[in-house]
Amino acid sequence: MSKSIKKNNRKWNVPALKALASKYDFSTRYIKQCITGDRNPIFADRIKSEYSVIVNQLKEVLDNEEI
């Protein structure tokens, strides 16, 4: 087995990762690997799309919140 040599400078949305990890009962590391494509289970596409939906919803809530 070889290790991945690509650099990951991506900023993760931790609440979205934790929500998906608790929903699917996986670790956040495994969820990240599914999103980046390092792991290819059958439902990886579903996890990717749900992550993007959750992130967009959180951005909308934070942008619409008046301080």
Side-chain angles (χ1 to χ4, degrees):
M1 292 177 41
S2 63
K3 292 185 179 181
S4 176
I5 59 171
K6 61 183 174 181
K7 232 178 192 183
N8 188 2
N9 294 331
R10 186 175 186 166
K11 303 260 185 215
W12 294 100
N13 191 321
V14 177
L17 286 175
K18 288 183 179 179
L20 288 172
S22 65
K23 179 179 180 178
Y24 291 107
D25 198 30
F26 292 131
S27 68
T28 54
R29 182 171 184 245
Y30 187 75
I31 298 294
K32 287 179 190 178
Q33 290 173 341
C34 288
I35 293 170
T36 59
D38 291 338
R39 297 285 185 255
N40 297 320
I42 296 171
F43 52 87
D45 292 333
R46 186 182 328 151
I47 289 175
K48 286 180 194 177
S49 63
E50 285 184 27
Y51 177 77
S52 63
V53 167
I54 292 172
V55 168
N56 289 335
Q57 289 174 347
L58 288 172
K59 282 182 184 177
E60 286 178 11
V61 168
L62 293 175
D63 290 342
N64 292 334
E65 186 176 297
E66 296 178 11
I67 299 175

